[in-house]
Amino acid sequence: MSMPQVSLRMASQKAMRQMADRNSPFILDEWYVVAFANEVGRALLKRTVLGLKLVMFRTQDGAPIAMEDRCAHRSYPLSAGTLSGDTIVCGYHGLRYDRAGNCIEVPSQQHCPKGIGVRTIPLIERGPFVWGWFGESSKADPLRIPTTSWLENGAWVSSQDYFDLPGNYVSLHENLLDLTHLSFVHAQSFGTPDYARAPYEVESKGGCFRITRSVVPTRLPPVWAQPTGLHHDHAARITTSEFRAPGLHVVSARFYDANLPVSSQPVYEIRTCHVPTPQTQGSTHYFIVHSRDFALQDSSVTEFMREQLMIAFREDVEVLSRLEDVLARPDPERYEISIASDGPAVAMRRYLFVRAQASIASPSPVG
Ligand code: FES
Ligand SMILES: [Fe+2]
């Protein structure tokens, strides 16, 4: 092997050992949720995603549109302008942009200069989500949108929520892959003392990282015991947490009576999409869609579970916010240690690090 090949290999091995953190560049060649579908309508919606300020709206024929929130003339935010048909009129000097971001009118002159406009972001709507692509447009393959097909399936009923999380998206993914924190962070909500010591299995393949934790037998917290009727201390709680993409994490759980054969009883399943979309290095749009496959017609169950879960997820937001306060002030004298239960999260963060480095190597054109 020649010297350059050796050093290239060593550099790539070193990159494999490094972990993404709040300072890592955003990974552009991925789909991210930019909004819930029901947020995008005929009012201009302003939102920062992957550090890019966007304005969004829905055309008269129902297509979601996202474009850079910055007029090509004197940089005025287009979100402060007006939506007129399927065009945006800048609120400063009236330049008009069509749905493709092209400037099509300059009121103060007869002719509109050709070739000026603002960047648009390819969007695709799937169920409750509007996904956006921030990499090179030619690579925006809809097949790469992580599947959430059960959300469009009548066998599940869902509720949705959102947090403006003052923390980095990597920290949120790590939190979701490390469910030992349930016994501590969520001691007053949906955690139980036996959770942190329960046996688990891990699996990783092709950019997916999964941990399954079996808490059996256990006493379910009210959020699960009440709607399932499993109020005793011999319930089974099998939870799988799965990083599916930088923009999607799915946590699913099954509950049943551990004293009965699984085949002779109902098994209750919940599935939660935790959707971390980077906003800035220190903030994340945290979209949540929580689904269940039981009590489908009972809206009081939906409301009860939603209320209880939001108490728990708010605990995560508070933890990650405190963590961000520390991480935002790096101290070169300090380093973190990892413990055995960090295995899946460490693998996931190494994967994100390598992907982020690749984003630097081939940055996407902005504007
Ligand atoms: S800044 Fe938008 S028209 Fe001048
Ligand atoms: Fe949590």
Side-chain angles (χ1 to χ4, degrees):
M1 198 180 287
S2 67
M3 282 306 285
Q5 279 177 315
V6 170
S7 58
L8 203 61
R9 195 170 139 196
M10 285 171 66
S12 103
Q13 283 173 343
K14 189 176 171 207
M16 295 286 282
R17 289 194 301 272
Q18 288 180 273
M19 295 192 285
D21 59 23
R22 71 175 300 288
N23 300 312
S24 299
F26 297 133
I27 298 167
L28 301 177
D29 283 347
E30 285 288 344
W31 290 94
Y32 295 92
V33 170
V34 295
F36 281 125
N38 61 7
E39 289 183 285
V40 184
R42 295 293 294 163
L44 296 175
L45 172 68
K46 139 189 190 184
R47 181 159 290 165
T48 299
V49 181
L50 274 75
L52 187 65
K53 289 186 187 333
L54 298 177
V55 57
M56 291 181 261
F57 64 95
R58 201 175 280 279
T59 61
Q60 294 167 110
D61 62 6
I65 303 290
M67 58 181 74
E68 200 175 352
D69 191 16
R70 179 177 178 145
C71 180
H73 176 223
R74 285 293 179 265
S75 306
Y76 196 67
L78 293 175
S79 55
T82 52
L83 182 61
S84 168
D86 288 345
T87 66
I88 293 186
V89 179
C90 179
Y92 201 173
H93 312 99
L95 267 66
R96 183 186 297 269
Y97 297 87
D98 68 13
R99 60 193 284 169
N102 302 310
C103 180
I104 54 170
E105 185 186 339
V106 178
S108 56
Q109 60 189 52
Q110 197 172 358
H111 297 293
C112 178
K114 285 200 176 1
I116 62 167
V118 295
R119 180 187 178 192
T120 54
I121 297 294
L123 299 183
I124 291 184
E125 194 167 347
R126 288 274 164 83
F129 300 127
V130 178
W131 296 85
W133 177 268
F134 291 80
E136 207 178 287
S137 306
S138 62
K139 295 187 189 164
D141 180 358
L143 293 175
R144 290 187 57 191
I145 296 176
T147 182
T148 52
S149 52
W150 66 94
L151 298 177
E152 299 167 71
N153 175 334
W156 295 80
V157 65
S158 305
S159 61
Q160 65 185 47
D161 275 294
Y162 169 87
F163 287 105
D164 188 350
L165 168 67
N168 182 266
Y169 86 106
V170 177
S171 299
L172 176 55
H173 274 302
E174 181 163 66
N175 165 284
L176 291 163
L177 267 183
D178 150 40
L179 296 181
T180 59
H181 77 262
L182 265 80
S183 298
F184 305 97
V185 173
H186 304 301
Q188 306 304 319
S189 55
F190 63 12
T192 50
D194 49 1
Y195 211 96
R197 289 190 172 80
Y200 62 90
E201 290 172 20
V202 298
E203 197 182 330
S204 66
K205 197 173 168 189
C208 284
F209 303 89
R210 181 186 298 162
I211 178 163
T212 299
R213 193 168 285 270
S214 301
V215 195
V216 187
T218 189
R219 179 176 287 280
L220 296 179
V223 61
W224 312 130
Q226 189 164 315
T228 62
L230 298 168
H231 290 288
H232 44 67
D233 60 3
H234 47 88
R237 178 181 187 178
I238 317 292
T239 305
T240 297
S241 187
E242 187 176 6
F243 169 102
R244 294 194 178 179
L248 178 67
H249 204 114
V250 179
V251 177
S252 50
R254 292 183 301 131
F255 311 108
Y256 51 87
D257 186 334
N259 284 354
L260 298 173
V262 173
S263 57
S264 69
Q265 61 174 318
V267 174
Y268 303 92
E269 186 169 350
I270 56 103
R271 210 172 279 177
T272 307
C273 287
H274 296 267
V275 181
T277 299
Q279 181 172 184
T280 64
Q281 296 301 143
S283 62
T284 300
H285 299 289
Y286 184 7
F287 301 95
I288 298 168
V289 177
H290 177 70
S291 311
R292 67 177 190 277
D293 72 347
F294 54 93
L296 299 182
Q297 309 300 329
D298 193 338
S299 59
S300 67
V301 170
T302 309
E303 275 316 301
F304 172 73
M305 287 171 62
R306 180 180 179 195
E307 184 187 292
Q308 296 283 308
L309 288 172
M310 285 304 279
I311 291 171
F313 296 149
R314 192 166 286 114
E315 291 167 338
D316 290 306
V317 169
E318 283 166 11
V319 162
L320 294 174
S321 166
R322 283 184 209 120
L323 190 58
E324 172 65 16
D325 281 347
V326 179
L327 299 179
R329 294 173 188 78
D331 178 348
E333 301 296 312
R334 307 273 178 168
Y335 60 91
E336 296 179 341
I337 57 150
S338 297
I339 54 178
S341 62
D342 293 322
V346 167
M348 177 273 296
R349 287 179 58 185
R350 285 178 175 160
Y351 167 77
L352 287 180
F353 183 87
V354 172
R355 293 287 314 276
Q357 295 303 302
S359 267
I360 307 176
S362 54
S364 190
V366 173

